[in-house]
Amino acid sequence: MEQVNGDTLAAARKVIAVHINYPSRAAQRGRTPAQPSYFLKPSSSLALSGSPVERPAGCELLGYEGEIALVIGKAARRVSMEDAWSHVAAVTASNDLGVYDLRYADKGSNLRSKGGDGFTPVGPALIPADAVDPSRLRIRTWHNDELVQDDTTEDLLFPFARLIADLSQLLTLEEGDIILTGTPAGASVAKPGDILEVEVDTCDGALSTGRLVTKVEEGTTAFADFGAQPKVDDLQREEAYGSREAAGLAGVSPALSPELKAKLESVATATLSSQMRKRGLNNVSIDGLQATRPDRRVVGLARTLRYVPNREDLFKTHGGGFNAQKKAIDSVNEGEILVMEARGEKGTGTVGDILALRAQVRGAAAIITDGGVRDYSAVADLQMPTYFANPHPAVLGRRHIPWDTDITIACGGATVQPGDIIVADSDGILVIPPAIAEELVDDCIQQEKEEAFIFEMVKQGNSVDGLYPMNAEWQKRYVEWERMGRQHQ
């Protein structure tokens, strides 16, 4: 078979990549597109098998994605799906490399994050397109000799012919152009010194590209200070590695350790409210809401979403697509609580059954909104509690535009910041500043012990005078009661 060489790379005027195409990747990302979407990579990002790739200096997340590349053999413009495959000359292996550290600077174009020199290695051999069934190809990726991706083209969301026909409706695919056809689940992050290998073959193993080999090196030249600088957060780490667990982010945030969470779950919201009042915090309750699951008590860290009043021109630019509402739902993590600012507007829904289910699937502890809920019966049937103002059938656009996420918001009369601790049950919803949580809950535990003693003394017929609150004499008796209780444990 013909080998990929410099002439192959030189002939590629365009490199077009598909966002999501494998069901396994769609499941991992939590969204299945109805239509294919694309981005461009510069032809200068192409490289041959055996070429090294730099992880740019200052970057943490060099992501790799094994993919099947299609090499166009003759120009295609407005071709049908039936005729599309005849415009492909060959298939080969590719690796769609990119740095998640720069995604924020691209605004969806992927130019900087995925367009670096060497970020699209292809090869080593070309399999003739007319020798294969495009629905019977296999893609495999190895990371330091460990098989991390293994999938076939049998159940692609968008078969290759559809991609070619779709692209050709608006642009001419030229001879030599390369189309990267998406990656299956298993894509992750590589570090300097790692070896990445990708192979494409037929499902019967008869034809193979051989292994496309790329070694990762550490870049030494820092970014100039006049451009965007690398930066990452936990969401980018999760997306780069494929899951919170793989990124080392599993479990509860340090701001809410399992021990602290258990303590907060053990004390009443009334006690927490009392102790915060003693500290001068009187405006920490989210008021006026009802719960789909009043039997549940939830404790979690706040994630926030803000809606602004609808303005028709702005809704056109911010209301559709993967908007702030969907981004918030799709990034909420295990044990977190999504809190929505809807300005107390009850005349429309702010969340419905599908997005509420998505939050539950991602492990959210609850949704809190001071606006309406659509599809109330279905939302109420979920195990995850939703706290809301009232049911309402209308969609967002009647009153709201989803605007931004993870900022300080107002909900139900309380200010909520990302990372605040939320405690909610049938008695109410409280917002606890993380900095005081440990001391606060320890004082609550002590208060409830004292109140258990007071309750027992009243039950025995004692007057509350001097007992509630306890005077010095009752304090002595309480200390003795507690000591005797510890002895009998």
Side-chain angles (χ1 to χ4, degrees), residues 389-413:
N390 58 274
H392 200 284
V395 296
L396 277 183
R398 184 167 187 260
R399 291 283 189 269
H400 300 303
I401 306 172
W403 198 254
D404 44 16
T405 62
D406 291 324
I407 61 167
T408 300
I409 64 168
C411 182

Side-chain angles (χ1 to χ4, degrees), residues 329-408:
I329 293 287
D330 217 48
S331 65
V332 67
N333 296 310
E334 184 80 26
E336 293 178 338
I337 296 174
L338 180 58
V339 186
M340 301 179 178
E341 174 185 336
R343 310 176 312 285
E345 170 57 65
K346 300 179 180 181
T348 192
T350 56
V351 68
D353 58 344
I354 292 175
L355 293 185
L357 175 61
R358 175 62 180 155
Q360 176 175 285
V361 168
R362 286 192 60 84
I367 291 175
I368 298 172
T369 173
D370 60 357
V373 163
R374 298 181 68 222
D375 313 306
Y376 170 74
S377 295
V379 173
D381 283 341
L382 297 177
Q383 290 298 308
M384 178 195 70
T386 295
Y387 299 81
F388 62 104
N390 58 274
H392 200 284
V395 296
L396 277 183
R398 184 167 187 260
R399 291 283 189 269
H400 300 303
I401 306 172
W403 198 254
D404 44 16
T405 62
D406 291 324
I407 61 167
T408 300

Side-chain angles (χ1 to χ4, degrees), residues 46-82:
L46 291 167
L48 297 172
S49 182
S51 301
V53 65
E54 282 191 0
R55 184 182 73 175
C59 289
E60 173 188 335
L61 303 175
L62 176 66
Y64 61 83
E65 300 176 2
E67 305 203 11
I68 298 172
L70 310 181
V71 182
I72 298 298
K74 62 180 180 179
R77 179 71 166 111
R78 295 197 178 101
V79 301
S80 67
M81 284 195 285
E82 292 74 21

Side-chain angles (χ1 to χ4, degrees), residues 252 255-273 275 297-300 421-425 430 432 436-449:
V252 182
L256 186 59
S257 66
E259 294 76 18
L260 175 58
K261 185 172 185 287
K263 287 181 179 180
L264 288 167
E265 289 171 339
S266 74
V267 297
T269 51
T271 310
L272 288 164
S273 179
Q275 285 295 330
R297 178 179 176 83
V298 295
V299 177
I421 297 173
I422 305 294
V423 179
D425 62 13
L430 296 176
I432 301 173
I436 69 167
E438 286 281 3
E439 174 193 307
L440 178 78
V441 75
D442 286 342
D443 287 351
C444 287
I445 291 170
Q446 179 60 33
Q447 178 181 328
E448 292 195 346
K449 287 181 180 178

Side-chain angles (χ1 to χ4, degrees), residues 180-197:
L180 308 185
T181 58
T183 195
S188 189
V189 172
K191 298 178 180 179
D194 288 355
I195 302 293
L196 302 169
E197 298 172 278

Side-chain angles (χ1 to χ4, degrees), residues 138-338:
R138 178 172 60 170
I139 174 77
R140 288 181 293 174
T141 303
W142 292 264
H143 183 183
N144 294 332
D145 291 326
E146 178 185 357
L147 182 64
V148 292
Q149 292 185 290
D150 188 351
D151 211 332
T152 74
T153 57
E154 184 176 3
D155 59 352
L156 291 178
L157 300 175
F158 312 111
F160 295 159
R162 180 173 173 181
L163 299 178
I164 296 160
D166 182 41
L167 286 165
S168 76
Q169 300 310 295
L170 282 174
L171 55 91
T172 299
L173 296 173
E174 299 163 297
E175 182 179 354
D177 285 352
I178 292 175
I179 302 173
L180 308 185
T181 58
T183 195
S188 189
V189 172
K191 298 178 180 179
D194 288 355
I195 302 293
L196 302 169
E197 298 172 278
V198 183
E199 181 182 10
V200 174
D201 62 0
T202 52
C203 288
D204 60 8
L207 297 172
S208 170
T209 63
R211 292 196 186 186
L212 168 69
V213 180
T214 306
K215 181 176 182 179
V216 180
E217 297 181 349
E218 181 70 271
T220 57
T221 303
F223 284 92
D225 58 9
F226 48 73
Q229 301 299 303
K231 66 178 182 180
V232 296
D233 55 25
D234 285 351
L235 175 59
Q236 294 305 318
R237 293 186 178 95
E238 177 184 354
E239 295 221 334
Y241 281 93
S243 69
R244 287 182 64 80
E245 292 75 15
L249 301 171
V252 182
S253 163
L256 186 59
S257 66
E259 294 76 18
L260 175 58
K261 185 172 185 287
K263 287 181 179 180
L264 288 167
E265 289 171 339
S266 74
V267 297
T269 51
T271 310
L272 288 164
S273 179
S274 173
Q275 285 295 330
M276 282 197 283
R277 183 175 176 82
K278 288 182 180 179
R279 290 163 170 79
L281 293 169
N282 296 307
N283 299 300
V284 289
S285 63
I286 297 176
D287 298 331
L289 306 185
Q290 53 186 306
T292 59
R293 296 295 306 271
D295 57 314
R296 297 286 300 277
R297 178 179 176 83
V298 295
V299 177
L301 292 181
R303 296 285 299 277
T304 61
L305 166 65
R306 180 170 70 112
Y307 295 109
V308 298
N310 185 35
R311 204 179 87 184
E312 287 76 6
D313 60 322
L314 294 177
F315 192 86
K316 289 179 181 178
T317 58
H318 289 77
F322 198 54
N323 58 31
Q325 179 202 41
K326 293 176 181 175
K327 289 177 183 175
I329 293 287
D330 217 48
S331 65
V332 67
N333 296 310
E334 184 80 26
E336 293 178 338
I337 296 174
L338 180 58

